[in-house]
Amino acid sequence: MTDASGARGTARPATTHPHPATAGQPTVLTGATVVLPTGTVENGQVTIDGTRITAAAPENAQVIDVTGHYVLPGFIDIHNHGGGGASFTSGSVEDVLRGIHTHRLHGTTTLVASTVTGDMDFLAQRAGLLSELAEQGEIAGIHFEGPFISPCRKGAHSEGLLRDPDPAEVRKLIDAARGRAKMVTLATELPGGTDSVRLLAEHGVIAAIGHTDATYEQTVEAIDAGATVATHLFNAMPPLGHRSPGPIAALLEDDRITVELINDGTHLHPAALQLAFHRAGADRVAFITDAMDAAGFGDGRYWLGPLEVEVADGVARLLTDGTIAGSTLTLDRAFKRAVTVDGLSVEDAVQALSATPARLLGMSDRIGSLEPGKDADLVLLDADYELKGVMRRGAWVVGPQLR
């Protein structure tokens, strides 16, 4: 099957079974295990009025008994390239919206759209398209992953399009995003890298260290210059060494750094994930998908920027050399794996999927936790951590699917 983005795979149309609720009617979810910033509450309730969570239920509220289920804040993905057969880098507006909706069906109520390395003029054009969707509230902003990355650690990026992080060119991209640029991934050891970090910090854009061949000392220098994120820690960077600790040690030890982790069972060994949590803590870890077109769509061949990708058994690899090319992960799967395979507490998983990314994006006043006054973004899971409902800004995207 081929769609407008050039993806070929097996379509998996999503089906939802909405609860018979009156549109816009205040709703109270009762009997749930509710994960709050202060801890987990058994037999708790969450009240929604309009698009917000409220402290008290109006008299006309409908009550939905969700006993035996978890109610969590909506998931937040700060690094996502597409889904549903659609690419955020090359798809039309309709394609991008389909990709966004695909991830919403899996609990991601807030998403930052990521691009991959491309020609500078093309990336500036994409920034214009994506900024319009950010202005409409469909995405939380734009993340530029490349072209300012190391050819030694390029991963699934086209080497011929890579370039040093000249601050003038970095500025061109953030200007093209019209105030909607959220993050730029840089190999900060390259010429212009440190100056570009300072430029990004001055403009309120997150400077992320990634696809880097930096030494420990070079990484410390970049952090001191204002870098605050590690792009998919462990991946596309030198491994941790006992004589040459490289960027991993510098990124884990500094409290100013939030580390991204791709928890799909392919990108990281469970011991690496545990190391990151033990050293950084849940309040410095953000689970991401790094998803490409095939997320929520199926195996087959796809394009990631100018590079062709083969997806088999849910693992995406470049057709040319087998390099891992993003993921097909969705955040509901990342959550379930975190608690059932990695042994994380539900509270720590929620922190990494919601509260930490909300804080990083500067949006903690609106999203990231279930508190009165915040957006009614929530996820409903059953006792086996399977997704049974998704609400975004007070409207059900999925479910609730109750027995």
Side-chain angles (χ1 to χ4, degrees):
M1 176 179 292
T2 302
D3 76 351
S5 68
R8 299 190 294 279
T10 303
R12 297 175 181 174
T15 57
T16 62
H17 305 282
H19 191 276
T22 303
Q25 182 179 6
T27 301
V28 182
L29 305 178
T30 65
T33 300
V34 183
V35 181
L36 302 173
T38 53
T40 298
V41 177
E42 303 292 338
N43 194 29
Q45 71 176 39
V46 178
T47 302
I48 301 100
D49 191 356
T51 63
R52 303 280 181 166
I53 298 169
T54 61
E59 291 185 2
N60 64 332
Q62 66 160 345
V63 178
I64 302 176
D65 187 349
V66 292
T67 299
H69 292 73
Y70 290 88
V71 178
L72 315 176
F75 303 144
I76 301 168
D77 195 353
I78 62 171
H79 186 156
N80 187 315
H81 298 279
S87 167
F88 298 153
T89 297
S90 59
S92 66
V93 170
E94 291 74 20
D95 293 330
V96 174
L97 289 172
R98 183 170 74 253
I100 294 166
H101 184 65
T102 296
H103 286 281
R104 286 180 186 167
L105 294 173
H106 291 275
T108 298
T109 52
T110 300
L111 179 150
V112 175
S114 302
T115 62
V116 297
T117 293
D119 176 84
M120 286 293 293
D121 289 338
F122 176 75
L123 289 175
Q125 178 189 28
R126 292 304 297 178
L129 181 150
L130 293 171
S131 67
E132 291 182 9
L133 293 175
E135 289 160 7
Q136 296 165 16
E138 298 291 346
I139 59 175
I142 306 166
H143 164 218
F144 297 101
E145 187 181 24
F148 312 114
I149 61 177
S150 172
C152 301
R153 305 288 175 178
K154 64 183 185 299
H157 291 255
S158 177
E159 185 168 356
L161 294 171
L162 300 182
R163 57 183 63 217
D164 291 339
D166 180 343
E169 295 201 317
V170 174
R171 177 65 185 268
K172 177 180 178 179
L173 288 187
I174 63 175
D175 285 349
R178 304 199 303 259
R180 301 295 177 168
K182 283 292 184 181
M183 183 161 63
V184 178
T185 293
L186 307 163
T188 54
E189 76 278 8
L190 296 176
T194 303
D195 288 339
S196 292
V197 168
R198 294 192 182 99
L199 171 74
L200 292 168
E202 289 168 3
H203 285 81
V205 179
I206 296 165
I209 301 172
H211 288 276
T212 177
D213 204 40
T215 64
Y216 174 89
E217 291 77 15
Q218 289 169 328
T219 305
V220 169
E221 181 182 3
I223 296 169
D224 287 340
T228 55
V229 166
T231 293
H232 43 55
L233 186 74
F234 300 109
N235 299 115
M237 60 183 62
L240 182 66
H242 65 289
R243 292 193 182 93
S244 179
I248 293 173
L251 294 164
L252 279 177
E253 73 182 9
D254 198 304
D255 289 344
R256 293 171 291 182
I257 293 292
T258 299
V259 299
E260 297 180 347
L261 297 177
I262 308 170
N263 192 25
D264 61 353
T266 298
H267 281 79
L268 296 176
H269 189 282
L273 181 141
Q274 288 290 345
L275 173 64
F277 266 88
H278 287 159
R279 182 60 189 89
D283 60 347
R284 287 182 48 216
V285 172
F287 280 141
I288 61 165
T289 61
D290 194 18
M292 45 77 72
D293 309 20
F297 198 67
D299 289 353
R301 290 192 181 178
Y302 299 81
W303 291 96
L304 186 60
L307 303 178
E308 194 167 9
V309 175
E310 176 83 36
V311 179
D313 297 325
V315 179
R317 296 183 182 274
L318 291 183
L319 200 61
T320 52
D321 62 8
T323 298
I324 293 176
S327 85
T328 62
L329 185 63
T330 53
L331 285 183
D332 57 335
R333 287 168 45 210
F335 179 92
K336 182 172 182 177
R337 181 178 176 84
V339 296
T340 62
V341 175
D342 301 311
L344 297 183
S345 68
V346 168
E347 294 82 1
D348 279 353
V350 167
Q351 179 78 31
L353 282 162
S354 302
T356 296
R359 184 260 307 160
L360 187 67
L361 294 175
M363 300 176 70
S364 294
D365 60 328
R366 286 184 44 207
I367 57 175
S369 60
L370 300 175
E371 297 177 271
K374 293 193 176 183
D375 289 353
D377 294 351
L378 58 85
V379 175
L380 186 67
L381 303 178
D382 66 14
D384 295 321
Y385 310 109
E386 292 292 333
L387 187 141
K388 296 299 179 180
V390 180
M391 176 179 284
R392 182 175 186 269
R393 297 182 184 174
W396 288 109
V397 180
V398 176
Q401 301 168 26
L402 307 172
R403 293 182 179 177

